Amino acid sequence: MTLAGLSLAGWAFDSARAVANADSDGEGLTFLINNLDGGWVPSKSAISSYEANVWQQLTDKLVYTDPQGQVSPWIAQSWEQNDDNTEFVLHLREGVTFSDGSPLDADAVIANLDSWARGRPDEGIARVGLFPGSTYDGAEALDDRTVRVRFAAPALSFLPTLGYHGCLLLSPGSIAASVSEQSDLANQIGSGPFVLESWAQNDHVRLVRREDYDWAPQSAGRTGAAAPSGITFKVLPDDTLRASAARAHQTDISYNVSPQVLDSFTEAGFEIEVPRYLGFVHGFRVRADIEPFDDPRVRQAIQRGIDREEILRTVFTSAWEPATSWLQSGVPETTDLSELFAFDPDHAASLLDAAGWSEFNAEGFRTRGGRELGFTIYPTPYLTGSIPEAELISQQLGRLGIRVATQKVDIASYAGHVDNNPKQAFKEVTRSFVDVGTVAEVITDDGEDWFGVGSSDQKLVTLRDRIAGAGNREQRATVIDELSRHVLEEAYFIPLEQNVQRIYVQAPGLGGITFNAVAVPSYYAATKEKS
């Protein structure tokens, strides 16, 4: 690191202090983040691994869902459900208000539930994709603090998903705002332990403690107002500069530095958090309706042609673990199916030969009927290490004769190139959920149609419906195993490694930070040693 580079890192931190007018008592936190480009429309940004760090401090949830998927009370103090899990009654905590003084009562909860389940698609406001909206029948207020919620089919995922970071509680006024109004973070009114003081696009977000806050979940280990007096999120895109600022003790938290430098921070006494959330492993979902991926042998060859041990050894550290399925190992229903996608280049080559890709051009790439076998990977900007991993995969598949190009795009361009592009057949997945039942919401045209099969794969449709209609968790776990086997055998999903989407380098002496089921931190109870 050059002196000029270190000076620039110091300038970035000094800039954050000047913008935020940081607390003289030294109890505020500073957080260097690579970007906040996703915007503040909740239906678009709430699942971002960047903006979620801010949302978690501004808003509350109806329940707290821990890293093991266990649910405990928060704004909903208690609840009951009927025997077939189609009706739930939520009892709300008394005295909770949004930061504008409006009550977080039954009507406010219903406004949020309706928004999560249905959105307002005609206005560009999407529903929350992993909320069980397809069977949501509606909600009604039994009194000011009691809400009854009804579903057309068993909804085992309903309660845990209330702790999903897309299900953030906002004031009815914020929910009713237009898309353009919602894009201003100042219009997003939550009930959380911090409130917005200032923000500037792609520069910073400054939060200050809400002094009358007193409804944290018991899991936080604290009551009353937040421990930190405020939090400044400062955008610093360069990974090396964020790491340098952390080493120089110029920030409390530095986000998503390169995995290769983490050991040096540990040796220097820093706390490194690389939480693995509940959800899908890091991998690729493949659309089976686009050539050449419409041939399962091509998909299976790619699945068998990736050397995951080389990826872990080369790109990541010992904190990363190999995938054992398409679901994270922390998901209670996950079974070890790694034999279905184990590295086997000889088998991969024979599959490609059988699929007719048996000729080679002068550059050594496979052809069929004069057409070269190849595709493009757009590394996700949401995952540190995605670019070198994609480049290594390109080399590995190149040995099989598949030309794989890699093209870097930023967050602003990623949605157009990948997320909203129906022609992009090969897409990286970094997706969380808090209950496995929500996988039924993404796999066919009843949901997000990840694999481009619509309803043509009857087995997939049957398994989807059996998951959605499961009456108990034991029954559902059996179906999830069947689904996982089918998805992997068809190579609709190509697993890579356990998903570590967020890396937090925390200054020595920083404590009291908790993470939820989707690996998002809360700084409500955070404390740091006096310097």
Side-chain angles (χ1 to χ4, degrees):
M1 182 65 181
T2 66
L3 288 176
L6 187 57
S7 175
L8 183 56
W11 169 85
F13 177 69
D14 290 341
S15 174
R17 290 180 65 100
V19 169
N21 189 23
D23 304 89
S24 59
D25 59 15
E27 293 180 355
L29 300 177
T30 53
F31 186 120
L32 291 180
I33 193 165
N34 27 343
N35 73 67
L36 291 171
D37 295 344
W40 299 106
V41 177
S43 62
K44 296 181 179 179
S45 68
I47 62 172
S48 165
S49 64
Y50 301 106
E51 283 78 19
N53 290 285
V54 178
W55 284 120
Q56 183 76 357
Q57 324 311 320
L58 287 171
T59 63
D60 294 318
K61 308 291 191 304
L62 281 166
V63 304
Y64 175 73
T65 308
D66 70 16
Q68 289 72 47
Q70 298 300 308
V71 175
S72 59
W74 194 345
I75 301 304
Q77 284 191 307
S78 62
W79 48 82
E80 300 96 35
Q81 61 207 70
N82 62 3
D83 290 341
D84 62 0
N85 295 291
T86 58
E87 186 173 295
F88 301 79
V89 176
L90 308 177
H91 302 279
L92 308 180
R93 186 166 183 158
E94 187 174 8
V96 180
T97 60
F98 294 102
S99 59
D100 63 359
S102 61
L104 205 175
D105 57 10
D107 288 340
V109 168
I110 291 170
N112 278 274
L113 290 167
D114 287 348
S115 179
W116 303 337
R118 297 167 178 154
R120 303 200 304 273
D122 292 344
E123 301 175 43
I125 297 174
R127 71 182 188 90
V128 174
L130 293 178
F131 184 84
S134 60
T135 59
Y136 175 76
D137 265 354
E140 62 179 325
L142 302 183
D143 58 45
D144 286 349
R145 293 196 299 115
T146 311
V147 177
R148 179 160 55 202
V149 188
R150 299 179 309 278
F151 292 88
L156 290 172
S157 63
F158 171 62
L159 287 172
T161 301
L162 295 178
Y164 180 59
H165 62 178
C167 295
L168 43 89
L169 289 166
L170 292 167
S171 72
S174 297
I175 294 169
S178 67
V179 169
S180 61
E181 291 168 333
Q182 289 187 11
S183 66
D184 184 348
L185 184 57
N187 294 328
Q188 303 294 353
I189 306 301
S191 61
F194 295 90
V195 295
L196 179 70
E197 181 178 87
S198 67
W199 78 283
Q201 187 70 38
N202 300 327
D203 183 76
H204 79 279
V205 172
R206 167 67 180 166
L207 310 180
V208 294
R209 177 168 56 204
R210 181 178 173 182
E211 298 296 344
D212 64 343
Y213 184 85
D214 194 21
W215 42 83
Q218 187 175 4
S219 57
R222 179 184 175 86
T223 60
S229 56
I231 310 173
T232 299
F233 295 87
K234 174 65 183 176
V235 176
L236 183 60
D238 189 278
D239 294 359
T240 303
L241 294 184
R242 290 197 310 280
S244 295
R247 286 194 187 95
H249 300 279
Q250 295 172 321
T251 183
D252 296 304
I253 304 108
S254 196
Y255 186 60
N256 276 3
V257 302
S258 171
Q260 284 82 8
V261 303
L262 294 181
D263 288 344
S264 65
F265 279 106
T266 301
E267 293 166 1
F270 288 80
E271 182 72 24
I272 309 298
E273 293 284 359
V274 285
R276 288 204 299 268
Y277 53 52
L278 300 178
F280 301 97
V281 300
H282 178 225
F284 299 100
R285 66 105 176 104
V286 187
R287 290 188 65 93
D289 59 338
I290 297 176
E291 292 183 335
F293 307 109
D294 55 342
D295 188 328
R297 293 169 295 188
V298 173
R299 303 193 302 267
Q300 292 159 358
I302 294 169
Q303 194 177 63
R304 293 288 192 171
I306 294 175
D307 186 344
R308 294 160 184 84
E309 290 186 6
E310 184 183 19
I311 291 172
L312 291 174
R313 185 173 65 250
T314 305
V315 179
F316 299 110
T317 74
S318 58
W320 276 255
E321 296 180 2
T324 60
S325 180
W326 70 312
L327 307 176
Q328 295 273 77
S329 61
V331 175
E333 294 84 356
T334 301
T335 51
D336 188 343
L337 301 173
S338 52
E339 79 280 357
L340 298 178
F341 53 91
F343 178 54
D344 189 341
D346 292 337
H347 181 49
S350 66
L351 286 166
L352 293 175
D353 289 342
W357 297 95
S358 54
E359 302 294 327
F360 291 83
N361 62 21
E363 294 180 85
F365 294 108
R366 289 177 179 267
T367 63
R368 185 180 67 183
R371 180 185 173 190
E372 185 179 87
L373 179 59
F375 59 94
T376 299
I377 295 176
Y378 293 91
T380 175
Y382 294 105
L383 188 67
T384 300
S386 180
I387 292 174
E389 183 170 24
E391 291 171 345
L392 182 54
I393 289 170
S394 174
Q395 296 172 22
Q396 293 175 348
L397 296 181
R399 297 167 198 155
L400 285 174
I402 305 173
R403 186 193 293 272
V404 180
T406 62
Q407 183 174 333
K408 179 182 177 181
V409 293
D410 58 20
I411 286 179
S413 304
Y414 191 73
H417 277 91
V418 182
D419 285 337
N420 302 325
N421 181 4
K423 299 299 183 182
Q424 179 54 35
F426 208 78
K427 179 182 181 297
E428 258 183 282
V429 171
T430 57
R431 187 76 172 269
S432 61
F433 57 71
V434 294
D435 184 84
V436 74
T438 55
V439 301
E441 297 288 326
V442 303
I443 57 176
T444 67
D445 54 4
D446 190 46
E448 298 177 25
D449 198 14
W450 267 15
F451 312 131
V453 296
S455 297
S456 63
D457 183 333
Q458 190 54 53
K459 184 172 184 178
L460 200 64
V461 171
T462 300
L463 292 169
R464 174 202 71 192
D465 293 342
R466 287 173 61 195
I467 291 168
N472 60 68
R473 297 183 184 280
E474 293 75 16
Q475 179 188 50
R476 190 179 66 177
T478 300
V479 186
I480 287 292
D481 181 68
E482 290 183 58
L483 173 67
S484 297
R485 289 179 180 276
H486 183 62
V487 165
L488 294 171
E489 286 170 350
E490 289 293 322
Y492 290 142
F493 194 102
I494 298 174
L496 295 175
E497 69 279 333
Q498 299 286 324
N499 207 337
V500 177
Q501 190 175 2
R502 306 179 181 98
I503 302 170
Y504 300 86
V505 176
Q506 298 171 178
L510 189 62
I513 300 168
T514 58
F515 292 85
N516 63 11
V518 288
V520 179
S522 168
Y523 296 109
Y524 164 72
T527 58
K528 61 179 182 178
E529 295 177 356
K530 299 286 187 180
S531 57

